[in-house]
Each structure stands twice: as structure tokens, then as C-alpha cells.
Amino acid sequence: MHDRERLRQLIRATLVEGGLKLPPGKRTDLDSNLVKRACAAYVDFVVGWNRWLESRGKEPVEPVGPSGSSAYADVDAAEGKDVVYGDVDYLVSFPLTSDAEDFGDRRKAQAAVEREYTDLMGEYIRTVRPRGVDVELTLKPNSVPSQVVLEMPSGELVQVDTVVTFPEHSEWMRGRYVPERG
């Protein structure tokens, strides 16, 4: 890939993705192999968070899979494509125990669960300080803890954005939040 094209992709990714917590000096090109490693590290983070949630009597969350352009990282890597991603989006199903029939009531219940679990994620990160998470960047002021900054064993920092769904919508969301390739 030419330098000009790589620059164009990085600019587009930064503008379109939004909410990037990494300061300019800490950013790295996210190629498909780094995205795959970040996804595996994020699943490990969720596994630890689930243990913590269960110890507090809370229902666990379910990691569904990468979404957005990062959903193609496996295919891009297998084909040897030189793709640069802006960040990693990961679809996670939060538990919903509401049996409300009314759409408005159901939506309110979903919003309440999303707030509660986002707060719980922040509390988990703040109190446990899980290995592999850059706690200061993840919890920096005026940001949400669901945009997790992971420190990879090789030293790169990768932001993984938690995209929230609920059990009844997770398969639909998997298709809805994966854009057409390319």
C-alpha cells in the first residue's frame, strides 16, 4: 500500500471512528494481525470481568464477536491484504431480564442495563486493574469505560470499543454492525 493511501485510511478511520482515546504519539497502525490479537485480549478481559460480575451476583455478558470493519480481520489476514483499521469494535451481549412487551418499556430497560453494566465495567477496571488494560487511558476524564485501551504484550496500545447488544438482537446486530467489505 502506498504511503498516501495509508494516510488517507488513517485520516478516515480517525474521523469516522470517533472517540479515539489514544494520544497521537501512542497510536499504531492496526493491521489485521494486531486486530486479531486485540480481539483475543479483549475476550480475555471479558472473561475476567464476567468472573468479577458473577462474584457480585450479576449476570455475565457474552462476547459475540468483532463488528465494524474489524470483523474482516481474519479474512484480510488470510488473504494477505494490507488493511489499516481505526480501532476495534467488539459486539457484547449484555443480559436483559425484563419481559416488558411494550417497545418503550423494553427500550428503557435496555438503557438501564447498558448504564448499569457500563458503570460496572468502569468499577471493575478501576478496582481490579486487570492485566493488559491501560487503566489511565481507559478511564480518562470525560470518556466511557466501555472504550477499553489494551496494552498488547508487544507494547502496542489498541482501543477496543464495546458495542452493546442484547440476547434477542445479537445475531441481527452481528449482521447490522458489519459493513460491506471494502
Side-chain angles (χ1 to χ4, degrees):
M1 179 182 299
H2 293 86
D3 288 339
R4 187 175 178 161
E5 176 63 17
R6 181 174 296 265
L7 180 61
R8 185 188 68 73
Q9 283 186 349
L10 284 172
I11 290 169
R12 182 183 178 284
T14 302
L15 293 174
V16 172
E17 295 291 339
L20 193 58
K21 291 181 175 181
L22 300 174
K26 300 272 186 174
R27 296 178 190 164
T28 188
D29 285 350
L30 293 176
D31 63 20
S32 53
N33 289 316
L34 183 54
V35 168
K36 289 171 46 175
R37 289 187 289 131
C39 286
Y42 181 77
V43 170
D44 289 344
F45 163 78
V46 171
V47 167
W49 183 36
N50 273 335
R51 282 194 298 268
W52 183 86
L53 287 169
E54 290 172 3
S55 74
R56 281 152 182 73
K58 296 292 184 181
E59 293 292 318
V61 301
E62 181 185 341
V64 177
S67 61
S69 61
S70 52
Y72 295 109
D74 285 333
V75 175
D76 291 339
E79 292 179 1
K81 289 199 172 215
D82 190 14
V83 177
V84 176
Y85 306 86
D87 66 4
V88 180
D89 298 313
Y90 208 96
L91 194 60
V92 178
S93 181
F94 283 14
L96 185 64
T97 55
S98 173
D99 58 356
E101 297 278 333
D102 178 70
F103 176 78
D105 291 341
R106 191 153 189 81
R107 186 62 200 117
K108 286 178 188 173
Q110 290 172 343
V113 167
E114 185 170 349
R115 277 190 308 275
E116 176 188 17
Y117 272 73
T118 299
D119 289 346
L120 287 167
M121 182 185 280
E123 183 182 341
Y124 169 68
I125 293 168
R126 188 173 27 267
T127 60
V128 174
R129 302 184 73 80
R131 184 186 354 236
V133 174
D134 186 308
V135 174
E136 286 69 32
L137 283 174
T138 300
L139 298 179
K140 74 183 203 176
N142 302 316
S143 69
V144 292
S146 56
Q147 295 174 318
V148 182
V149 178
L150 299 173
E151 184 173 353
M152 304 306 295
S154 48
E156 302 96 343
L157 294 176
V158 179
Q159 178 175 321
V160 179
D161 292 347
T162 307
V163 180
V164 177
T165 188
F166 295 94
E168 67 184 347
H169 302 297
S170 51
E171 283 308 310
W172 178 82
M173 288 280 285
R174 184 188 289 268
R176 170 75 174 87
Y177 276 72
V178 175
E180 189 172 326
R181 190 166 177 223

PDB file of all heavy atoms in Angstrom, residues 64-101:
ATOM      1  N   VAL A  64     -19.764 -11.487  21.617  1.00  0.00           N
ATOM      2  CA  VAL A  64     -20.353 -12.034  20.394  1.00  0.00           C
ATOM      3  C   VAL A  64     -19.306 -12.123  19.296  1.00  0.00           C
ATOM      4  O   VAL A  64     -19.170 -13.139  18.629  1.00  0.00           O
ATOM      5  CB  VAL A  64     -21.562 -11.181  19.937  1.00  0.00           C
ATOM      6  CG1 VAL A  64     -22.140 -11.693  18.634  1.00  0.00           C
ATOM      7  CG2 VAL A  64     -22.639 -11.146  21.026  1.00  0.00           C
ATOM      8  N   GLY A  65     -18.558 -11.051  19.089  1.00  0.00           N
ATOM      9  CA  GLY A  65     -17.521 -11.063  18.074  1.00  0.00           C
ATOM     10  C   GLY A  65     -17.213  -9.660  17.595  1.00  0.00           C
ATOM     11  O   GLY A  65     -17.931  -8.707  17.912  1.00  0.00           O
ATOM     12  N   PRO A  66     -16.155  -9.526  16.807  1.00  0.00           N
ATOM     13  CA  PRO A  66     -15.812  -8.203  16.285  1.00  0.00           C
ATOM     14  C   PRO A  66     -16.894  -7.713  15.331  1.00  0.00           C
ATOM     15  O   PRO A  66     -17.553  -8.510  14.664  1.00  0.00           O
ATOM     16  CB  PRO A  66     -14.480  -8.424  15.566  1.00  0.00           C
ATOM     17  CG  PRO A  66     -14.359  -9.887  15.363  1.00  0.00           C
ATOM     18  CD  PRO A  66     -15.226 -10.556  16.370  1.00  0.00           C
ATOM     19  N   SER A  67     -17.080  -6.415  15.304  1.00  0.00           N
ATOM     20  CA  SER A  67     -18.044  -5.812  14.377  1.00  0.00           C
ATOM     21  C   SER A  67     -17.346  -4.647  13.684  1.00  0.00           C
ATOM     22  O   SER A  67     -16.162  -4.406  13.903  1.00  0.00           O
ATOM     23  CB  SER A  67     -19.305  -5.360  15.125  1.00  0.00           C
ATOM     24  OG  SER A  67     -19.001  -4.380  16.096  1.00  0.00           O
ATOM     25  N   GLY A  68     -18.087  -3.944  12.871  1.00  0.00           N
ATOM     26  CA  GLY A  68     -17.457  -2.892  12.098  1.00  0.00           C
ATOM     27  C   GLY A  68     -16.442  -3.505  11.145  1.00  0.00           C
ATOM     28  O   GLY A  68     -16.459  -4.706  10.849  1.00  0.00           O
ATOM     29  N   SER A  69     -15.535  -2.697  10.672  1.00  0.00           N
ATOM     30  CA  SER A  69     -14.548  -3.186   9.706  1.00  0.00           C
ATOM     31  C   SER A  69     -13.641  -4.252  10.301  1.00  0.00           C
ATOM     32  O   SER A  69     -13.120  -5.109   9.582  1.00  0.00           O
ATOM     33  CB  SER A  69     -13.718  -2.017   9.175  1.00  0.00           C
ATOM     34  OG  SER A  69     -13.026  -1.391  10.231  1.00  0.00           O
ATOM     35  N   SER A  70     -13.458  -4.245  11.615  1.00  0.00           N
ATOM     36  CA  SER A  70     -12.579  -5.229  12.248  1.00  0.00           C
ATOM     37  C   SER A  70     -13.128  -6.656  12.159  1.00  0.00           C
ATOM     38  O   SER A  70     -12.383  -7.613  12.388  1.00  0.00           O
ATOM     39  CB  SER A  70     -12.283  -4.849  13.698  1.00  0.00           C
ATOM     40  OG  SER A  70     -13.452  -4.596  14.416  1.00  0.00           O
ATOM     41  N   ALA A  71     -14.384  -6.812  11.794  1.00  0.00           N
ATOM     42  CA  ALA A  71     -14.952  -8.147  11.614  1.00  0.00           C
ATOM     43  C   ALA A  71     -14.273  -8.895  10.467  1.00  0.00           C
ATOM     44  O   ALA A  71     -14.349 -10.122  10.396  1.00  0.00           O
ATOM     45  CB  ALA A  71     -16.456  -8.051  11.361  1.00  0.00           C
ATOM     46  N   TYR A  72     -13.620  -8.175   9.583  1.00  0.00           N
ATOM     47  CA  TYR A  72     -12.958  -8.788   8.437  1.00  0.00           C
ATOM     48  C   TYR A  72     -11.474  -9.076   8.675  1.00  0.00           C
ATOM     49  O   TYR A  72     -10.768  -9.480   7.748  1.00  0.00           O
ATOM     50  CB  TYR A  72     -13.111  -7.889   7.203  1.00  0.00           C
ATOM     51  CG  TYR A  72     -14.546  -7.768   6.758  1.00  0.00           C
ATOM     52  CD1 TYR A  72     -15.236  -6.577   6.926  1.00  0.00           C
ATOM     53  CD2 TYR A  72     -15.208  -8.846   6.191  1.00  0.00           C
ATOM     54  CE1 TYR A  72     -16.564  -6.463   6.526  1.00  0.00           C
ATOM     55  CE2 TYR A  72     -16.532  -8.741   5.791  1.00  0.00           C
ATOM     56  CZ  TYR A  72     -17.199  -7.546   5.955  1.00  0.00           C
ATOM     57  OH  TYR A  72     -18.510  -7.447   5.568  1.00  0.00           O
ATOM     58  N   ALA A  73     -10.981  -8.890   9.872  1.00  0.00           N
ATOM     59  CA  ALA A  73      -9.555  -9.066  10.140  1.00  0.00           C
ATOM     60  C   ALA A  73      -9.068 -10.471   9.802  1.00  0.00           C
ATOM     61  O   ALA A  73      -7.989 -10.631   9.224  1.00  0.00           O
ATOM     62  CB  ALA A  73      -9.233  -8.720  11.594  1.00  0.00           C
ATOM     63  N   ASP A  74      -9.834 -11.500  10.148  1.00  0.00           N
ATOM     64  CA  ASP A  74      -9.421 -12.873   9.838  1.00  0.00           C
ATOM     65  C   ASP A  74      -9.289 -13.077   8.331  1.00  0.00           C
ATOM     66  O   ASP A  74      -8.306 -13.634   7.856  1.00  0.00           O
ATOM     67  CB  ASP A  74     -10.414 -13.887  10.410  1.00  0.00           C
ATOM     68  CG  ASP A  74     -10.293 -14.055  11.911  1.00  0.00           C
ATOM     69  OD1 ASP A  74      -9.188 -13.828  12.447  1.00  0.00           O
ATOM     70  OD2 ASP A  74     -11.297 -14.418  12.546  1.00  0.00           O
ATOM     71  N   VAL A  75     -10.291 -12.622   7.591  1.00  0.00           N
ATOM     72  CA  VAL A  75     -10.288 -12.779   6.128  1.00  0.00           C
ATOM     73  C   VAL A  75      -9.165 -11.956   5.512  1.00  0.00           C
ATOM     74  O   VAL A  75      -8.449 -12.430   4.626  1.00  0.00           O
ATOM     75  CB  VAL A  75     -11.662 -12.371   5.538  1.00  0.00           C
ATOM     76  CG1 VAL A  75     -11.647 -12.418   4.020  1.00  0.00           C
ATOM     77  CG2 VAL A  75     -12.762 -13.248   6.090  1.00  0.00           C
ATOM     78  N   ASP A  76      -9.017 -10.709   5.982  1.00  0.00           N
ATOM     79  CA  ASP A  76      -7.956  -9.848   5.455  1.00  0.00           C
ATOM     80  C   ASP A  76      -6.579 -10.459   5.703  1.00  0.00           C
ATOM     81  O   ASP A  76      -5.713 -10.431   4.831  1.00  0.00           O
ATOM     82  CB  ASP A  76      -8.029  -8.448   6.079  1.00  0.00           C
ATOM     83  CG  ASP A  76      -9.256  -7.667   5.627  1.00  0.00           C
ATOM     84  OD1 ASP A  76      -9.828  -7.998   4.564  1.00  0.00           O
ATOM     85  OD2 ASP A  76      -9.642  -6.722   6.345  1.00  0.00           O
ATOM     86  N   ALA A  77      -6.384 -11.031   6.892  1.00  0.00           N
ATOM     87  CA  ALA A  77      -5.097 -11.657   7.215  1.00  0.00           C
ATOM     88  C   ALA A  77      -4.860 -12.881   6.328  1.00  0.00           C
ATOM     89  O   ALA A  77      -3.761 -13.070   5.798  1.00  0.00           O
ATOM     90  CB  ALA A  77      -5.047 -12.049   8.691  1.00  0.00           C
ATOM     91  N   ALA A  78      -5.901 -13.702   6.157  1.00  0.00           N
ATOM     92  CA  ALA A  78      -5.763 -14.907   5.334  1.00  0.00           C
ATOM     93  C   ALA A  78      -5.438 -14.564   3.879  1.00  0.00           C
ATOM     94  O   ALA A  78      -4.688 -15.289   3.218  1.00  0.00           O
ATOM     95  CB  ALA A  78      -7.043 -15.731   5.406  1.00  0.00           C
ATOM     96  N   GLU A  79      -5.991 -13.451   3.401  1.00  0.00           N
ATOM     97  CA  GLU A  79      -5.746 -13.034   2.018  1.00  0.00           C
ATOM     98  C   GLU A  79      -4.499 -12.166   1.885  1.00  0.00           C
ATOM     99  O   GLU A  79      -4.155 -11.752   0.784  1.00  0.00           O
ATOM    100  CB  GLU A  79      -6.965 -12.279   1.479  1.00  0.00           C
ATOM    101  CG  GLU A  79      -8.179 -13.162   1.309  1.00  0.00           C
ATOM    102  CD  GLU A  79      -9.398 -12.410   0.789  1.00  0.00           C
ATOM    103  OE1 GLU A  79      -9.307 -11.185   0.538  1.00  0.00           O
ATOM    104  OE2 GLU A  79     -10.439 -13.060   0.645  1.00  0.00           O
ATOM    105  N   GLY A  80      -3.851 -11.858   3.002  1.00  0.00           N
ATOM    106  CA  GLY A  80      -2.644 -11.038   2.954  1.00  0.00           C
ATOM    107  C   GLY A  80      -2.907  -9.591   2.579  1.00  0.00           C
ATOM    108  O   GLY A  80      -2.009  -8.906   2.098  1.00  0.00           O
ATOM    109  N   LYS A  81      -4.127  -9.099   2.823  1.00  0.00           N
ATOM    110  CA  LYS A  81      -4.457  -7.706   2.488  1.00  0.00           C
ATOM    111  C   LYS A  81      -3.787  -6.757   3.467  1.00  0.00           C
ATOM    112  O   LYS A  81      -3.757  -7.009   4.670  1.00  0.00           O
ATOM    113  CB  LYS A  81      -5.961  -7.493   2.506  1.00  0.00           C
ATOM    114  CG  LYS A  81      -6.659  -8.171   1.361  1.00  0.00           C
ATOM    115  CD  LYS A  81      -8.018  -7.569   1.145  1.00  0.00           C
ATOM    116  CE  LYS A  81      -8.570  -8.166  -0.121  1.00  0.00           C
ATOM    117  NZ  LYS A  81      -9.357  -7.265  -0.862  1.00  0.00           N
ATOM    118  N   ASP A  82      -3.312  -5.658   2.954  1.00  0.00           N
ATOM    119  CA  ASP A  82      -2.657  -4.624   3.758  1.00  0.00           C
ATOM    120  C   ASP A  82      -3.710  -3.588   4.142  1.00  0.00           C
ATOM    121  O   ASP A  82      -3.863  -2.576   3.472  1.00  0.00           O
ATOM    122  CB  ASP A  82      -1.522  -3.992   2.949  1.00  0.00           C
ATOM    123  CG  ASP A  82      -0.649  -3.095   3.795  1.00  0.00           C
ATOM    124  OD1 ASP A  82      -0.738  -3.162   5.036  1.00  0.00           O
ATOM    125  OD2 ASP A  82       0.125  -2.318   3.210  1.00  0.00           O
ATOM    126  N   VAL A  83      -4.459  -3.878   5.204  1.00  0.00           N
ATOM    127  CA  VAL A  83      -5.560  -3.027   5.638  1.00  0.00           C
ATOM    128  C   VAL A  83      -5.182  -2.369   6.960  1.00  0.00           C
ATOM    129  O   VAL A  83      -4.576  -2.997   7.819  1.00  0.00           O
ATOM    130  CB  VAL A  83      -6.859  -3.858   5.819  1.00  0.00           C
ATOM    131  CG1 VAL A  83      -7.992  -3.002   6.327  1.00  0.00           C
ATOM    132  CG2 VAL A  83      -7.234  -4.546   4.513  1.00  0.00           C
ATOM    133  N   VAL A  84      -5.560  -1.101   7.135  1.00  0.00           N
ATOM    134  CA  VAL A  84      -5.347  -0.392   8.388  1.00  0.00           C
ATOM    135  C   VAL A  84      -6.728  -0.069   8.974  1.00  0.00           C
ATOM    136  O   VAL A  84      -7.582   0.497   8.298  1.00  0.00           O
ATOM    137  CB  VAL A  84      -4.549   0.907   8.175  1.00  0.00           C
ATOM    138  CG1 VAL A  84      -4.416   1.675   9.486  1.00  0.00           C
ATOM    139  CG2 VAL A  84      -3.182   0.600   7.593  1.00  0.00           C
ATOM    140  N   TYR A  85      -6.933  -0.446  10.222  1.00  0.00           N
ATOM    141  CA  TYR A  85      -8.197  -0.222  10.916  1.00  0.00           C
ATOM    142  C   TYR A  85      -8.034   0.960  11.868  1.00  0.00           C
ATOM    143  O   TYR A  85      -6.956   1.192  12.394  1.00  0.00           O
ATOM    144  CB  TYR A  85      -8.599  -1.465  11.711  1.00  0.00           C
ATOM    145  CG  TYR A  85      -8.645  -2.723  10.876  1.00  0.00           C
ATOM    146  CD1 TYR A  85      -7.501  -3.476  10.661  1.00  0.00           C
ATOM    147  CD2 TYR A  85      -9.827  -3.146  10.275  1.00  0.00           C
ATOM    148  CE1 TYR A  85      -7.526  -4.619   9.892  1.00  0.00           C
ATOM    149  CE2 TYR A  85      -9.867  -4.288   9.501  1.00  0.00           C
ATOM    150  CZ  TYR A  85      -8.712  -5.025   9.312  1.00  0.00           C
ATOM    151  OH  TYR A  85      -8.739  -6.153   8.540  1.00  0.00           O
ATOM    152  N   GLY A  86      -9.122   1.687  12.137  1.00  0.00           N
ATOM    153  CA  GLY A  86      -9.071   2.825  13.042  1.00  0.00           C
ATOM    154  C   GLY A  86      -9.066   2.396  14.491  1.00  0.00           C
ATOM    155  O   GLY A  86      -8.317   2.914  15.313  1.00  0.00           O
ATOM    156  N   ASP A  87      -9.887   1.448  14.822  1.00  0.00           N
ATOM    157  CA  ASP A  87      -9.927   0.844  16.144  1.00  0.00           C
ATOM    158  C   ASP A  87     -10.620  -0.494  15.990  1.00  0.00           C
ATOM    159  O   ASP A  87     -10.880  -0.931  14.877  1.00  0.00           O
ATOM    160  CB  ASP A  87     -10.606   1.750  17.187  1.00  0.00           C
ATOM    161  CG  ASP A  87     -12.094   1.979  16.939  1.00  0.00           C
ATOM    162  OD1 ASP A  87     -12.657   1.388  15.989  1.00  0.00           O
ATOM    163  OD2 ASP A  87     -12.715   2.743  17.687  1.00  0.00           O
ATOM    164  N   VAL A  88     -10.907  -1.122  17.090  1.00  0.00           N
ATOM    165  CA  VAL A  88     -11.576  -2.410  17.065  1.00  0.00           C
ATOM    166  C   VAL A  88     -12.929  -2.237  17.743  1.00  0.00           C
ATOM    167  O   VAL A  88     -13.003  -1.720  18.855  1.00  0.00           O
ATOM    168  CB  VAL A  88     -10.743  -3.488  17.795  1.00  0.00           C
ATOM    169  CG1 VAL A  88     -11.457  -4.825  17.767  1.00  0.00           C
ATOM    170  CG2 VAL A  88      -9.356  -3.594  17.183  1.00  0.00           C
ATOM    171  N   ASP A  89     -13.970  -2.664  17.055  1.00  0.00           N
ATOM    172  CA  ASP A  89     -15.315  -2.678  17.629  1.00  0.00           C
ATOM    173  C   ASP A  89     -15.657  -4.122  17.958  1.00  0.00           C
ATOM    174  O   ASP A  89     -15.475  -5.014  17.121  1.00  0.00           O
ATOM    175  CB  ASP A  89     -16.334  -2.118  16.637  1.00  0.00           C
ATOM    176  CG  ASP A  89     -16.058  -0.675  16.265  1.00  0.00           C
ATOM    177  OD1 ASP A  89     -15.814   0.127  17.181  1.00  0.00           O
ATOM    178  OD2 ASP A  89     -16.086  -0.352  15.065  1.00  0.00           O
ATOM    179  N   TYR A  90     -16.145  -4.351  19.183  1.00  0.00           N
ATOM    180  CA  TYR A  90     -16.457  -5.716  19.602  1.00  0.00           C
ATOM    181  C   TYR A  90     -17.869  -5.759  20.160  1.00  0.00           C
ATOM    182  O   TYR A  90     -18.197  -5.040  21.103  1.00  0.00           O
ATOM    183  CB  TYR A  90     -15.448  -6.220  20.644  1.00  0.00           C
ATOM    184  CG  TYR A  90     -15.290  -7.706  20.593  1.00  0.00           C
ATOM    185  CD1 TYR A  90     -14.258  -8.280  19.868  1.00  0.00           C
ATOM    186  CD2 TYR A  90     -16.198  -8.546  21.226  1.00  0.00           C
ATOM    187  CE1 TYR A  90     -14.118  -9.664  19.789  1.00  0.00           C
ATOM    188  CE2 TYR A  90     -16.070  -9.911  21.149  1.00  0.00           C
ATOM    189  CZ  TYR A  90     -15.041 -10.471  20.430  1.00  0.00           C
ATOM    190  OH  TYR A  90     -14.911 -11.840  20.342  1.00  0.00           O
ATOM    191  N   LEU A  91     -18.689  -6.597  19.565  1.00  0.00           N
ATOM    192  CA  LEU A  91     -20.094  -6.732  19.954  1.00  0.00           C
ATOM    193  C   LEU A  91     -20.191  -7.604  21.211  1.00  0.00           C
ATOM    194  O   LEU A  91     -19.649  -8.708  21.254  1.00  0.00           O
ATOM    195  CB  LEU A  91     -20.859  -7.378  18.803  1.00  0.00           C
ATOM    196  CG  LEU A  91     -22.363  -7.338  18.808  1.00  0.00           C
ATOM    197  CD1 LEU A  91     -22.877  -5.900  18.814  1.00  0.00           C
ATOM    198  CD2 LEU A  91     -22.900  -8.065  17.570  1.00  0.00           C
ATOM    199  N   VAL A  92     -20.868  -7.076  22.236  1.00  0.00           N
ATOM    200  CA  VAL A  92     -21.031  -7.782  23.505  1.00  0.00           C
ATOM    201  C   VAL A  92     -22.508  -7.739  23.884  1.00  0.00           C
ATOM    202  O   VAL A  92     -23.133  -6.682  23.894  1.00  0.00           O
ATOM    203  CB  VAL A  92     -20.179  -7.142  24.627  1.00  0.00           C
ATOM    204  CG1 VAL A  92     -20.401  -7.852  25.953  1.00  0.00           C
ATOM    205  CG2 VAL A  92     -18.713  -7.147  24.250  1.00  0.00           C
ATOM    206  N   SER A  93     -23.049  -8.922  24.197  1.00  0.00           N
ATOM    207  CA  SER A  93     -24.449  -9.027  24.598  1.00  0.00           C
ATOM    208  C   SER A  93     -24.551  -8.868  26.116  1.00  0.00           C
ATOM    209  O   SER A  93     -23.994  -9.665  26.869  1.00  0.00           O
ATOM    210  CB  SER A  93     -25.011 -10.383  24.162  1.00  0.00           C
ATOM    211  OG  SER A  93     -26.367 -10.488  24.511  1.00  0.00           O
ATOM    212  N   PHE A  94     -25.248  -7.818  26.541  1.00  0.00           N
ATOM    213  CA  PHE A  94     -25.492  -7.580  27.959  1.00  0.00           C
ATOM    214  C   PHE A  94     -26.782  -8.314  28.345  1.00  0.00           C
ATOM    215  O   PHE A  94     -27.710  -8.403  27.540  1.00  0.00           O
ATOM    216  CB  PHE A  94     -25.655  -6.090  28.237  1.00  0.00           C
ATOM    217  CG  PHE A  94     -24.366  -5.290  28.263  1.00  0.00           C
ATOM    218  CD1 PHE A  94     -23.173  -5.792  27.774  1.00  0.00           C
ATOM    219  CD2 PHE A  94     -24.361  -4.015  28.774  1.00  0.00           C
ATOM    220  CE1 PHE A  94     -22.000  -5.053  27.793  1.00  0.00           C
ATOM    221  CE2 PHE A  94     -23.197  -3.251  28.804  1.00  0.00           C
ATOM    222  CZ  PHE A  94     -22.018  -3.768  28.325  1.00  0.00           C
ATOM    223  N   PRO A  95     -26.867  -8.816  29.575  1.00  0.00           N
ATOM    224  CA  PRO A  95     -28.063  -9.558  29.985  1.00  0.00           C
ATOM    225  C   PRO A  95     -29.271  -8.638  30.135  1.00  0.00           C
ATOM    226  O   PRO A  95     -29.137  -7.477  30.534  1.00  0.00           O
ATOM    227  CB  PRO A  95     -27.660 -10.157  31.330  1.00  0.00           C
ATOM    228  CG  PRO A  95     -26.632  -9.220  31.862  1.00  0.00           C
ATOM    229  CD  PRO A  95     -25.903  -8.686  30.670  1.00  0.00           C
ATOM    230  N   LEU A  96     -30.416  -9.155  29.795  1.00  0.00           N
ATOM    231  CA  LEU A  96     -31.656  -8.384  29.946  1.00  0.00           C
ATOM    232  C   LEU A  96     -32.703  -9.306  30.536  1.00  0.00           C
ATOM    233  O   LEU A  96     -33.065 -10.310  29.920  1.00  0.00           O
ATOM    234  CB  LEU A  96     -32.118  -7.823  28.603  1.00  0.00           C
ATOM    235  CG  LEU A  96     -33.326  -6.907  28.652  1.00  0.00           C
ATOM    236  CD1 LEU A  96     -33.011  -5.640  29.458  1.00  0.00           C
ATOM    237  CD2 LEU A  96     -33.773  -6.533  27.255  1.00  0.00           C
ATOM    238  N   THR A  97     -33.159  -8.973  31.732  1.00  0.00           N
ATOM    239  CA  THR A  97     -34.131  -9.826  32.404  1.00  0.00           C
ATOM    240  C   THR A  97     -35.551  -9.285  32.279  1.00  0.00           C
ATOM    241  O   THR A  97     -36.488  -9.925  32.721  1.00  0.00           O
ATOM    242  CB  THR A  97     -33.781  -9.980  33.896  1.00  0.00           C
ATOM    243  OG1 THR A  97     -33.670  -8.679  34.480  1.00  0.00           O
ATOM    244  CG2 THR A  97     -32.461 -10.732  34.053  1.00  0.00           C
ATOM    245  N   SER A  98     -35.717  -8.135  31.661  1.00  0.00           N
ATOM    246  CA  SER A  98     -37.042  -7.548  31.514  1.00  0.00           C
ATOM    247  C   SER A  98     -37.875  -8.348  30.520  1.00  0.00           C
ATOM    248  O   SER A  98     -37.392  -8.758  29.467  1.00  0.00           O
ATOM    249  CB  SER A  98     -36.925  -6.098  31.022  1.00  0.00           C
ATOM    250  OG  SER A  98     -38.203  -5.594  30.720  1.00  0.00           O
ATOM    251  N   ASP A  99     -39.118  -8.557  30.878  1.00  0.00           N
ATOM    252  CA  ASP A  99     -40.034  -9.228  29.952  1.00  0.00           C
ATOM    253  C   ASP A  99     -41.105  -8.264  29.461  1.00  0.00           C
ATOM    254  O   ASP A  99     -42.195  -8.668  29.075  1.00  0.00           O
ATOM    255  CB  ASP A  99     -40.645 -10.463  30.611  1.00  0.00           C
ATOM    256  CG  ASP A  99     -41.395 -10.124  31.901  1.00  0.00           C
ATOM    257  OD1 ASP A  99     -41.375  -8.952  32.330  1.00  0.00           O
ATOM    258  OD2 ASP A  99     -42.011 -11.049  32.482  1.00  0.00           O
ATOM    259  N   ALA A 100     -40.780  -6.986  29.476  1.00  0.00           N
ATOM    260  CA  ALA A 100     -41.727  -5.957  29.040  1.00  0.00           C
ATOM    261  C   ALA A 100     -42.135  -6.202  27.593  1.00  0.00           C
ATOM    262  O   ALA A 100     -41.302  -6.472  26.737  1.00  0.00           O
ATOM    263  CB  ALA A 100     -41.109  -4.571  29.191  1.00  0.00           C
ATOM    264  N   GLU A 101     -43.413  -6.114  27.334  1.00  0.00           N
ATOM    265  CA  GLU A 101     -43.943  -6.306  25.979  1.00  0.00           C
ATOM    266  C   GLU A 101     -43.901  -4.993  25.195  1.00  0.00           C
ATOM    267  O   GLU A 101     -43.668  -4.991  24.002  1.00  0.00           O
ATOM    268  CB  GLU A 101     -45.393  -6.812  26.050  1.00  0.00           C
ATOM    269  CG  GLU A 101     -45.536  -8.159  26.721  1.00  0.00           C
ATOM    270  CD  GLU A 101     -45.245  -9.305  25.782  1.00  0.00           C
ATOM    271  OE1 GLU A 101     -45.442  -9.136  24.559  1.00  0.00           O
ATOM    272  OE2 GLU A 101     -44.807 -10.360  26.269  1.00  0.00           O
TER     273      GLU A 101
END
